[in-house]
């Protein structure tokens, strides 16, 4: 099996992060399922504190935030690196207002997806 690695950590050091076993517990799946989510680019991990960590904001109580995989796919298909995708998702955008990752959890999720599609062109 391929070793799971994360991309360069471009996030604020205060951003809440989860280890892969913590993600598995949160969404009630085996850790191998979390590995599959990373390999399928449904979520993005970073290298932090000597291990692979995933931003906690990528999840809801039910699992992976439902619009996130589509936004990641749009940006990836548009040539964005994982680091650039994380920078977009976790940077303040006054026109939303707030960060796209937070907007995905509210009524602006479709707007974030629309913007990601436009950015990928």
């Amino acid at each position: 099996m391929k070793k799971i690695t994360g991309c360069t950590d471009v996030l604020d050091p205060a951003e809440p992060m989860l280890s892969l076993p913590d993600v598995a517990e949160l969404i009630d799946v085996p850790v191998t399922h979390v590995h599959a989510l990373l390999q399928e680019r449904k979520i993005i991990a970073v290298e932090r504190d000597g291990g692979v960590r995933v931003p906690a904001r990528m999840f809801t109580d039910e699992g992976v935030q439902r619009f996130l995989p589509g936004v990641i796919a749009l940006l990836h298909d548009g040539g964005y690196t994982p680091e650039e995708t994380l920078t977009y998702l976790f940077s303040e955008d006054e026109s939303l207002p707030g960060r796209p990752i937070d907007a995905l959890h509210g009524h602006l999720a479709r707007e974030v997806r629309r913007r990601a599609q436009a950015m990928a062109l």
Side-chain angles (χ1 to χ4, degrees):
M1 181 178 199
K2 182 179 168 188
K3 182 178 189 277
I4 300 296
T5 59
C7 68
T8 302
D9 189 354
V10 294
L11 300 176
D12 185 315
E15 186 66 41
M17 304 296 274
L18 300 168
S19 68
L20 301 187
D22 290 342
V23 170
E25 184 177 329
L26 176 72
I27 62 175
D28 197 26
V29 297
V31 75
T32 54
H33 182 77
V34 178
H35 293 178
L37 291 171
L38 288 164
Q39 290 169 339
E40 296 165 2
R41 293 189 198 98
K42 306 262 189 222
I43 58 175
I44 300 173
V46 299
E47 295 286 338
R48 183 181 279 191
D49 299 329
V52 178
R53 305 282 186 264
V54 181
R57 200 68 180 127
M58 291 187 169
F59 303 95
T60 68
D61 292 340
E62 291 81 40
V64 176
Q65 198 291 330
R66 73 181 191 148
F67 293 108
L68 181 64
V71 170
I72 291 172
L74 285 167
L75 294 173
H76 174 76
D77 291 349
Y80 281 65
T81 66
E83 292 86 355
E84 290 168 330
T85 298
L86 288 173
T87 298
Y88 166 68
L89 288 170
F90 287 86
S91 295
E92 290 291 325
D93 182 340
E94 291 180 16
S95 68
L96 277 174
R99 304 181 309 171
I101 192 69
D102 299 323
L104 286 174
H105 290 267
H107 66 280
L108 293 173
R110 284 179 173 42
E111 177 62 15
V112 172
R113 193 169 67 191
R114 186 194 66 73
R115 290 179 186 201
Q117 188 172 20
M119 290 168 50
L121 295 178

